[in-house]
Amino acid sequence: MAEGRGVRADARRNRHAIVTAARAAVEEWGDGVSLEQIAQRADVSARTLFRHFPTRDDLLAAVLEDYFAERVEPVLQRAAADPDPRRALETVLRQITAAFVEHPGMLALGAAARTAEITARYREPLAELLARARQAGAVRADLTPDDVPCLVTMLVAGAATAGGWSRYLALLLDGLAPAAARAPLPPAGT
């Protein structure tokens, strides 16, 4: 019985080592890093890597999920506890943008279709935050949870400019105010 627990503990350590190595490799070399490089960095065999992650997409999704658990979940939890929904939304946009500016390789992973499951998990807390903000009159009525990841991507793109993304966050927040809504937003996907 103790041997079985040791094997499971070993498997957990290997999985953790692989995800940690993959995350570092993505940061260093982008999402095109080879699985062989990741296995070497994790100090495991390619066979061990594939036992835990049968496909490259499985591994990259695990890396992104790990990053979201570390950097995005705590932000959403703090925002949910903030009694001021406008400030909570600003916190979400500011801190999640900072997380992706600091680790741009993660944003590249987030752009892939394989992240639909991860995105769906964070949609509900965003929907609750936006509902609170709309009810308080802090944001325009047609802002949706699906808009938030796009807004973060826009802000990250602004990080490379001379003014930086903080400037664009201020402009964006002003544009989200109900008073700024001159016309309804076009439907998503148009």
Side-chain angles (χ1 to χ4, degrees):
M1 187 82 126
E3 184 178 319
R5 274 187 255 143
V7 171
R8 285 191 299 267
D10 189 46
R12 282 192 304 272
R13 274 192 306 276
N14 283 342
R15 186 181 195 289
H16 177 72
I18 293 166
V19 171
T20 300
R23 186 169 158 180
V26 165
E27 288 293 325
E28 190 172 337
W29 298 308
D31 66 347
V33 63
S34 77
L35 296 178
E36 292 78 20
Q37 288 173 303
I38 293 170
Q40 280 182 332
R41 193 173 212 156
D43 200 26
V44 298
S45 69
R47 185 173 163 184
T48 297
L49 186 147
F50 285 112
R51 187 171 39 248
H52 288 280
F53 301 101
T55 69
R56 174 183 193 72
D57 283 352
D58 292 334
L59 176 56
L60 296 179
V63 168
L64 191 61
E65 196 164 316
D66 182 65
Y67 189 74
F68 265 68
E70 179 186 307
R71 295 296 300 265
V72 175
E73 275 180 29
V75 172
L76 293 174
Q77 289 168 355
R78 282 192 302 275
D82 190 332
D84 181 337
R86 171 86 176 176
R87 185 177 56 219
L89 179 60
E90 181 178 349
T91 296
V92 166
L93 290 171
R94 181 178 304 284
Q95 291 183 4
I96 292 176
T97 298
F100 287 114
V101 167
E102 292 166 15
H103 302 277
M106 295 301 123
L107 187 62
L109 291 182
R114 65 183 165 264
T115 62
E117 190 176 302
I118 296 168
T119 303
R121 193 168 66 226
Y122 297 103
R123 192 178 193 288
E124 185 177 332
L126 288 172
E128 290 170 9
L129 173 61
L130 291 178
R132 284 180 36 220
R134 279 192 295 273
Q135 187 176 25
V139 297
R140 54 187 299 154
D142 50 1
L143 185 65
T144 71
D146 295 330
D147 292 328
V148 176
C150 295
L151 297 175
V152 168
T153 301
M154 290 169 33
L155 291 168
V156 171
T161 66
W165 65 269
S166 291
R167 173 183 175 82
Y168 299 112
L169 175 60
L171 287 167
L172 181 71
L173 288 168
D174 283 349
L176 296 179
R182 303 279 185 254
L185 291 172
T190 58

